[in-house]
Amino acid sequence: MPGQKPIKVALLGCGTVGTEVVRLLTDQAADLTARVGAPVELAGIAVRKPNKHREVPAALLTTDADALVESDVDVVVEVVGGIEPARTWLVKALAAGKSVVTANKALLAEHSGELFQAADASGADLYFEAAVAGAIPLLRPLRESLAGDRITRVMGIVNGTTNFILSGMDSTGASYAETLEEATRLGYAEADPTADVDGYDAASKAAILASLAFHSRVTAADVHREGIASVSAADIAAAKALGRTVKLLAICERVTGAADEQAGAGNGAGESISVRVHPAMIPRTHPLASVHGAFNAVFVEADAAGEMMFYGQGAGGAPTASAVVGDLVAVARNRVVSGRGPRESAYAALPVRPMGQAPTRYHISLDVADRPGVLSQVAAVFAEHDVSIAAVRQEGRVDDASLVIVTHAATDAALRSTVDKIGGLPAVREVVSVMRVEGEE
Amino acid sequence: MPGQKPIKVALLGCGTVGTEVVRLLTDQAADLTARVGAPVELAGIAVRKPNKHREVPAALLTTDADALVESDVDVVVEVVGGIEPARTWLVKALAAGKSVVTANKALLAEHSGELFQAADASGADLYFEAAVAGAIPLLRPLRESLAGDRITRVMGIVNGTTNFILSGMDSTGASYAETLEEATRLGYAEADPTADVDGYDAASKAAILASLAFHSRVTAADVHREGIASVSAADIAAAKALGRTVKLLAICERVTGAADEQAGAGNGAGESISVRVHPAMIPRTHPLASVHGAFNAVFVEADAAGEMMFYGQGAGGAPTASAVVGDLVAVARNRVVSGRGPRESAYAALPVRPMGQAPTRYHISLDVADRPGVLSQVAAVFAEHDVSIAAVRQEGRVDDASLVIVTHAATDAALRSTVDKIGGLPAVREVVSVMRVEGEE
């Protein structure tokens, strides 16, 4: 494109992802020019310690991110992470009409409203494919391809560390602690694994997915979050015995009056959504069950399109950089043709339902005394709480028995109370495993 | 959006897909208005026999498609199929600056160049997500999300009928003829199944996928095509014995000098692509192996993003309509914001390599006389053709033996000659099964 003005790009951050972004911009320069319709020119790279970045052109490095954002760049790419100072930089960039590409899930899960407002006010683009499920093209399909459909559920494995640990526990039978240690040793878990194992990372992603799927503004604080630290070898074994496996799932679900009625919570409330992250048993035949190790996958259900799954690498420098540069091509092309990408779509403004009122299903595995009447006592507690039982399996042993119950959908609060009360029955020796069940009707 | 001018839509065709498009536009009207930023108004529906379409508003029906295309509509949605008159209508619409959404794979696989040129000349959009893999958002990721990456391979199950038949043969061990009969009875195969079973449908889709993945203009005529009619129960059994399964694959592959060298065809030629549709054995552990029945899935490999898979319903009225309406939202929004979507990207213009020169791998299963020297005779034929052997399995039986050979990559022509010559060896009683192997290194 001779004569075509280049699109100038500021890169904020140059860690694993940033380095790969620079490499792609360099290696693919000719291709990118053809795809964008103008050269894409890296104007500067803001880092804290320039002498630590020998793999990128020294002339581009600067420690003054503010000045770089304020310079005459067209696009700001942010791969620093964390809320501040990323938020200040990006709001400033968007307000000045510069398009933004970011991989920052925490920031989007907290402040997407503010960022989108700044983008709307100036007509700039805000793209963030890399923020959820790394390289898997997922947000663009949700924002665009399925825009003519009604999404009913998004359910995904969006954290590689926890999936690596749960896959490991499933294949070896080892405990959570042992498997976490192994994951840390192999570099699949950080020295401080809190953000991953306690579900914070997945909760940010769930908030972003729910916002897009249901056209409503959902923040990380709206997401019910349970991590995997309490998943025991007994839980994994109980799942296996029933042809299931345990995954940490990010679940975004449309809850309608019909679902309420089924769960015995028909309170006439309008449509709402449930957004949650917790470990759950899924059938081994479910497409998500075969997502092993550090891979990510997201299962989407929509009224017309039916069931879909998106699978790929959820993290890592090169995969994340691929998503960042894909977005960069889109916003750059939008500038060349004076177009713009999708804005925030929050018109539906569906309320997020508290976890206690979300319809869920439980698997409960008990050690009980092997004497007549135990099952009827246990069943009475379910009936009392209006929880209906889908399946029961009782197996006698020497002097006690194992009792496994899977419920139909009920409110999470009713299920919790049921479990609490059952745990107190004299005939129940031990509550071996309690876990939610997903991915089956 | 009070006062916002509606986007007027002409619908050409009202079969299974068209009827569902009308339903979505009606049921989701408020949502679509919010997403597009203006009401989406169906201006007319062109059909051949208006009295056969009682499920859509009679006032919208017309038999004069030409007049409808020439009226003051903004977008033309085509779900008629076939080359003519669809081609004439769409070229006319694009030339007049109307955006086009089409599900017409045959037309795109033949005439995408002409359509894109008309779109470019007037600045109109041409979207066709529904043309490949129905509801699965696949083309948008290829055209947009992965625009910053270098795709090396696209390999997919893109025809539901043949996948239903091959899945059935795999699970029952029945012959092709029996299983096709069953598929026809159940409505999974058309009365004349030629387009599906002979691979024409998959070849059109392969041409579209290759064009997008490799930024080159590929037509159906460039695609090497083999159907599934010759897949025997013996092939299926041979695959099973080796932990593999047989799928009809659409394969679009970048062939570099390195691959050539490995396949013994290093002729110094530049980069090219191989685009082909044929049955192949894949490992049962490959993500595509668990795609059963009428589902579709496409596996994509890119330099930075790594491996990805897109899975969902490949056909059917509602899923296809979901993809059509998703595109309609995109082109309508582009009109509201005066933007436009991606143009044809054919700048790479990579040549399509003839099948004989494509690097492939073969599985060959033979019945041989159980006497010394047979393996060495067979191996000599491979050596003669410069084909190297990856694995051999020989099993003695009463008076003959079974010999299974899997090769390394070689040119398809060398592999064919090898098989021909082996079939003529006196010690070889029968060539039981010959099939290409994909999805493993």
Side-chain angles (χ1 to χ4, degrees):
Chain A
M1 312 300 131
Q4 179 61 271
K5 211 169 122 264
I7 298 293
K8 293 172 109 176
V9 178
L11 177 63
L12 309 181
C14 199
T16 332
V17 177
T19 308
E20 285 295 323
V21 168
V22 175
R23 193 184 62 74
L24 282 175
L25 291 181
T26 312
D27 290 2
Q28 311 269 47
D31 262 31
L32 293 173
T33 302
R35 293 178 200 193
V36 168
V40 177
E41 185 185 299
L42 198 51
I45 308 171
V47 295
R48 273 202 232 157
K49 298 180 178 158
N51 58 347
K52 289 186 97 178
H53 298 274
R54 306 209 177 277
E55 66 291 353
V56 299
L60 293 177
L61 292 168
T62 171
T63 55
D64 193 345
D66 287 285
L68 182 58
V69 167
E70 283 161 17
S71 70
D72 67 338
V73 296
D74 301 285
V75 181
V76 173
V77 173
E78 184 263 321
V79 291
V80 173
I83 306 292
E84 286 295 353
R87 173 169 155 266
T88 305
W89 290 333
L90 298 192
V91 169
K92 193 191 285 181
L94 290 166
K98 299 171 204 300
S99 293
V100 162
V101 174
T102 173
N104 193 327
K105 55 193 167 278
L107 178 61
L108 283 159
E110 296 283 351
H111 300 285
S112 68
E114 184 185 4
L115 293 170
F116 271 119
Q117 274 160 13
D120 269 4
S122 72
D125 274 338
L126 173 60
Y127 276 60
F128 46 96
E129 182 69 67
V132 181
I136 312 173
L138 173 65
L139 303 192
R140 187 169 273 107
L142 286 183
R143 282 175 104 178
E144 304 179 38
S145 308
L146 291 165
D149 207 332
R150 185 169 167 278
I151 295 173
T152 51
R153 182 186 280 121
V154 177
M155 185 162 89
I157 295 169
V158 294
N159 180 274
T161 303
T162 48
N163 200 51
F164 182 86
I165 295 171
L166 293 173
S167 291
M169 290 174 72
D170 185 87
S171 61
T172 64
S175 73
Y176 167 72
E178 288 168 309
T179 316
L180 170 59
E181 204 179 294
E182 172 80 356
T184 312
R185 205 175 54 74
L186 294 172
Y188 284 100
E190 310 253 353
D192 174 2
T194 313
D196 294 316
V197 300
D198 287 353
Y200 289 98
D201 173 80
S204 290
K205 292 165 177 171
I208 297 171
L209 290 173
S211 302
L212 299 180
F214 303 125
H215 304 274
S216 300
R217 205 175 278 167
V218 178
T219 69
D222 297 320
V223 182
H224 174 82
R225 180 186 50 75
E226 298 173 29
I228 64 163
S230 61
V231 176
S232 65
D235 290 327
I236 302 278
K240 266 193 165 167
L242 291 166
R244 298 192 174 94
T245 185
V246 177
K247 295 290 185 188
L248 181 71
L249 298 178
I251 300 167
C252 314
E253 217 166 32
R254 198 183 279 271
V255 187
T256 59
D260 272 342
E261 213 157 296
Q262 213 183 341
N267 53 7
E271 194 168 67
S272 63
I273 52 182
S274 169
V275 190
R276 53 193 205 261
V277 169
H278 56 69
M281 291 184 185
I282 57 172
R284 283 188 181 264
T285 51
H286 193 282
L288 289 176
S290 51
V291 177
H292 300 297
F295 271 86
N296 279 197
V298 178
F299 195 76
V300 178
E301 293 173 51
D303 273 352
E307 300 178 345
M308 285 153 282
M309 193 172 81
F310 302 81
Y311 167 93
Q313 299 199 51
T320 309
S322 168
V324 166
V325 178
D327 277 356
L328 176 54
V329 167
V331 304
R333 189 157 47 192
N334 284 343
R335 292 187 94 86
V336 170
V337 302
S338 304
R340 64 168 298 199
R343 303 171 185 222
E344 181 181 31
S345 178
Y347 66 89
L350 295 177
V352 177
R353 165 175 298 227
M355 187 62 188
Q357 290 165 39
T360 61
R361 299 180 60 204
Y362 271 41
H363 155 103
I364 300 150
S365 186
L366 307 169
D367 260 3
V368 296
D370 192 6
R371 58 172 188 243
V374 174
L375 180 56
S376 100
Q377 283 174 41
V378 170
V381 178
F382 280 93
E384 221 174 85
H385 290 86
D386 254 343
V387 172
S388 74
I389 293 176
V392 175
R393 203 172 72 167
Q394 184 162 12
E395 268 172 30
R397 288 189 303 236
V398 179
D399 63 348
D400 63 356
S402 123
L403 186 60
V404 175
I405 294 160
V406 178
T407 74
H408 280 302
T411 65
D412 204 71
L415 287 160
R416 287 236 159 255
S417 315
T418 309
V419 170
D420 285 350
K421 182 134 186 209
I422 284 171
L425 290 178
V428 172
R429 300 195 172 153
E430 194 194 346
V431 177
V432 178
S433 166
V434 176
M435 192 164 284
R436 298 190 186 89
V437 175
E438 297 285 344
E440 44 193 291
E441 288 317 304
Chain B
M1 319 291 136
Q4 179 62 268
K5 213 169 121 260
I7 299 291
K8 295 173 106 174
V9 178
L11 178 63
L12 308 181
C14 200
T16 332
V17 176
T19 308
E20 285 294 323
V21 169
V22 175
R23 193 184 62 73
L24 281 175
L25 291 182
T26 313
D27 291 1
Q28 310 271 44
D31 261 31
L32 293 174
T33 303
R35 294 177 199 194
V36 168
V40 176
E41 184 186 300
L42 198 52
I45 306 171
V47 295
R48 271 202 233 158
K49 296 180 180 160
N51 58 347
K52 289 186 98 179
H53 297 275
R54 306 211 178 276
E55 66 292 351
V56 299
L60 293 177
L61 292 168
T62 170
T63 54
D64 193 346
D66 288 286
L68 181 58
V69 167
E70 283 162 16
S71 70
D72 67 339
V73 296
D74 301 286
V75 182
V76 173
V77 174
E78 183 263 321
V79 291
V80 174
I83 305 292
E84 287 295 353
R87 172 169 156 266
T88 304
W89 291 333
L90 298 191
V91 169
K92 193 192 285 180
L94 290 166
K98 301 171 203 298
S99 293
V100 162
V101 174
T102 173
N104 194 327
K105 56 193 167 280
L107 178 60
L108 282 159
E110 296 283 349
H111 299 286
S112 68
E114 184 185 5
L115 293 170
F116 270 119
Q117 273 161 14
D120 270 4
S122 72
D125 274 338
L126 173 61
Y127 276 59
F128 46 95
E129 183 68 69
V132 181
I136 311 173
L138 173 65
L139 302 193
R140 187 170 274 108
L142 286 183
R143 282 174 104 179
E144 303 179 37
S145 308
L146 291 165
D149 207 334
R150 184 168 168 279
I151 295 173
T152 50
R153 182 186 281 123
V154 178
M155 184 163 90
I157 295 169
V158 294
N159 180 274
T161 302
T162 47
N163 200 50
F164 182 87
I165 294 171
L166 292 173
S167 291
M169 289 175 72
D170 185 86
S171 60
T172 63
S175 74
Y176 166 73
E178 287 167 310
T179 316
L180 170 60
E181 203 181 294
E182 172 80 355
T184 311
R185 204 175 54 74
L186 294 171
Y188 285 100
E190 311 253 353
D192 174 2
T194 313
D196 294 315
V197 300
D198 287 353
Y200 289 99
D201 173 79
S204 290
K205 293 165 177 171
I208 297 172
L209 290 173
S211 301
L212 299 179
F214 302 125
H215 303 275
S216 299
R217 203 175 281 168
V218 178
T219 67
D222 297 320
V223 182
H224 174 82
R225 180 187 49 75
E226 297 172 29
I228 63 164
S230 62
V231 176
S232 65
D235 291 326
I236 303 279
K240 267 194 164 167
L242 290 167
R244 298 194 174 93
T245 185
V246 176
K247 297 288 185 189
L248 181 70
L249 298 177
I251 299 167
C252 314
E253 215 166 33
R254 197 183 280 273
V255 187
T256 60
D260 270 344
E261 212 158 295
Q262 214 184 341
N267 52 7
E271 194 168 67
S272 63
I273 52 183
S274 169
V275 191
R276 53 193 206 259
V277 168
H278 56 69
M281 291 185 186
I282 57 171
R284 284 189 181 262
T285 51
H286 193 282
L288 288 176
S290 51
V291 177
H292 299 299
F295 272 85
N296 279 197
V298 177
F299 195 76
V300 178
E301 292 174 52
D303 272 350
E307 298 179 346
M308 286 153 282
M309 192 174 81
F310 302 81
Y311 167 93
Q313 299 199 52
T320 309
S322 168
V324 166
V325 178
D327 276 356
L328 176 54
V329 167
V331 304
R333 189 157 48 192
N334 284 344
R335 292 186 95 87
V336 170
V337 302
S338 303
R340 64 168 298 198
R343 305 171 183 220
E344 180 181 31
S345 178
Y347 66 89
L350 295 177
V352 176
R353 166 175 296 229
M355 187 61 188
Q357 289 165 40
T360 61
R361 300 180 59 206
Y362 271 40
H363 154 104
I364 301 149
S365 187
L366 307 169
D367 260 2
V368 295
D370 192 7
R371 59 173 188 243
V374 173
L375 179 58
S376 99
Q377 284 174 41
V378 170
V381 178
F382 281 92
E384 218 173 88
H385 290 86
D386 254 343
V387 173
S388 75
I389 293 176
V392 175
R393 202 172 74 166
Q394 183 162 13
E395 268 171 31
R397 288 188 303 235
V398 180
D399 64 347
D400 62 355
S402 124
L403 184 60
V404 175
I405 294 159
V406 178
T407 75
H408 281 301
T411 64
D412 204 73
L415 286 160
R416 288 236 159 256
S417 315
T418 308
V419 171
D420 285 351
K421 183 135 186 209
I422 283 172
L425 290 178
V428 173
R429 297 193 175 157
E430 194 194 346
V431 177
V432 178
S433 167
V434 176
M435 192 164 284
R436 297 189 188 91
V437 175
E438 296 286 343
E440 44 194 292
E441 289 318 304

